[in-house]
Amino acid sequence: MSDEDVYRRNTHSVIQEFYLTLDYGLPGNWFAGVAMSYAFQGMTGWWFRPHVGYQAAICSDADFVLSAGMSATSSYFDNKSLFMSNGSQAWWLKAELPVKLGAKNLSLVPFVSFNWAGEGALKANRGSDRGDKPYKNFGVVAGAGLVYFF
């Protein structure tokens, strides 16, 4: 069977996932939380995304938020895989500046995030036979989001 036939046969799929997010406000403007998901059908297993951070008010309409976190998998990737492995997938440090806009519960959130590859991506980089690295070991992402809170 050609690669094109395999691609066509696998272009339609359904993935089912259950999510649970727990966030806790801690004393002194600190917060911590974890997002967990379990995926099944196709690739089956757990994803975990714990984080911790600090939020401080700059003025009545703007805050500064600094957070750190990681993503990890458990029983998600096949241990025989040459290109991925369970465990840490990424680490990050993120700075945000949420600014309240005129409408109630609406904010503009510019951010910058510093991202490091975890063990799964590093394994893929080591396993690449082309000599290049499919995942960057370090990257910087900047942007902004428009957020409405319910």
Side-chain angles (χ1 to χ4, degrees):
M1 189 179 289
S2 74
D3 288 341
E4 187 174 324
D5 291 335
V6 171
Y7 174 76
R8 262 192 232 135
R9 195 176 79 191
N10 294 312
T11 55
H12 295 79
S13 64
V14 175
I15 296 176
Q16 300 164 344
E17 290 188 67
F18 292 105
Y19 289 92
L20 174 63
T21 301
L22 303 170
D23 288 317
Y24 300 97
L26 302 172
N29 296 337
W30 288 91
F31 60 89
V34 63
M36 298 170 284
S37 63
Y38 183 79
F40 54 97
Q41 188 167 343
M43 298 183 85
T44 301
W46 290 94
W47 277 88
F48 302 95
R49 289 173 293 284
H51 61 274
V52 63
Y54 184 81
Q55 181 171 353
I58 295 174
C59 64
S60 63
D61 290 333
D63 292 334
F64 175 74
V65 181
L66 183 64
S67 61
M70 59 105 57
S71 64
T73 58
S74 175
S75 69
Y76 190 78
F77 296 106
D78 182 350
N79 289 335
K80 297 175 199 164
S81 171
L82 296 175
F83 298 106
M84 292 303 289
S85 69
N86 290 304
S88 66
Q89 301 300 317
W91 300 84
W92 70 86
L93 179 64
K94 185 176 186 180
E96 300 171 279
L97 187 66
V99 178
K100 295 175 189 169
L101 301 177
K104 185 179 179 181
N105 300 332
L106 184 64
S107 296
L108 177 66
V109 186
F111 67 89
V112 62
S113 180
F114 304 94
N115 306 291
W116 290 266
E119 183 55 36
L122 294 175
K123 181 180 180 184
N125 286 345
R126 288 191 299 269
S128 177
D129 58 356
R130 298 180 308 207
D132 62 343
K133 294 180 177 182
Y135 299 99
K136 291 183 177 182
N137 290 349
F138 175 75
V140 178
V141 177
L146 189 60
V147 179
Y148 182 80
F149 296 96
F150 294 94

